[in-house]
Amino acid sequence: MESQLTILLPVAALWLAAGVVADGLPRLHNTRVLRRRTGWLLVLTLTGVALTAAVLGGGLVSAGTTPVDRAAAGLGLAAGPALVAAVCSVRRVRRLWAGAGAFASAPATPAPHGLRAAAAHPLLGLPLQVTALATVPAVIAAIGTDLGADPGVTGPAITVGALAVAAIAVRHALRHSRLAERAQPDVPRSTRATNPLHV
């Protein structure tokens, strides 16, 4: 096992776990469980950001071809999504955790559609899952298979990655839209009939 793999595997595992937990949040129907999972997600995301920053910073400080340098070079692709996760996802996860905490006095309360819609927002889960995907090439290269060495493999790999990101984004957007629509208050039909028409 190469030494940079021992650095990259925990980082990739953290982002993968964060992506899996974030993907399951909108399916939770209990407020207490939603708060607990959101707390896990906050810890996973902050730890992933800290480890990624530590590896990238270590690669900038050290000189040569040390394992940290090779690991930092591999994580270059994940730096952008990790920054978006640090800026956007962490803030949304904290707000969701605080929102679910408002129901702490009634732990059996079903999770409102508004909270579940916030959990399904693309800017919460998408950066985490894209970062997890972006760590995969670094882990594969550390194992010994360099995707960038063969031009016949690089193009299809980039295409598959781009399609995966697009599919994840569309899935998040559709799920968020569906839950946000359910969170809207129902307007009685008689009220809608008497409302003035707006052109």
Side-chain angles (χ1 to χ4, degrees), residues 8-157:
L8 290 170
L9 274 180
V11 177
L14 276 169
W15 287 115
L16 179 62
V20 169
V21 173
D23 193 67
L25 287 181
R27 291 193 294 267
L28 300 176
H29 295 280
N30 183 278
T31 308
R32 172 183 272 179
V33 178
L34 180 62
R35 180 174 167 83
R36 185 171 64 241
R37 296 275 177 87
T38 307
W40 294 354
L41 181 58
L42 188 59
V43 171
L44 287 169
T45 305
L46 290 174
T47 309
V49 168
L51 272 182
T52 305
V55 172
L56 292 172
L60 290 175
V61 170
S62 66
T65 57
T66 63
V68 176
D69 287 323
R70 294 194 298 269
L75 283 181
L77 185 62
L83 180 62
V84 175
V87 173
C88 298
S89 299
V90 170
R91 182 171 55 90
R92 289 184 178 278
V93 171
R94 285 178 58 192
R95 284 200 327 217
L96 181 61
W97 183 76
F103 298 91
S105 59
T109 304
H113 290 301
L115 277 181
R116 294 175 60 206
H121 196 282
L123 285 179
L124 190 149
L126 182 62
L128 304 177
Q129 293 171 341
V130 171
T131 308
L133 277 177
T135 61
V136 171
V139 172
I140 292 174
I143 291 172
T145 306
D146 191 2
L147 294 176
D150 186 4
V153 176
T154 305

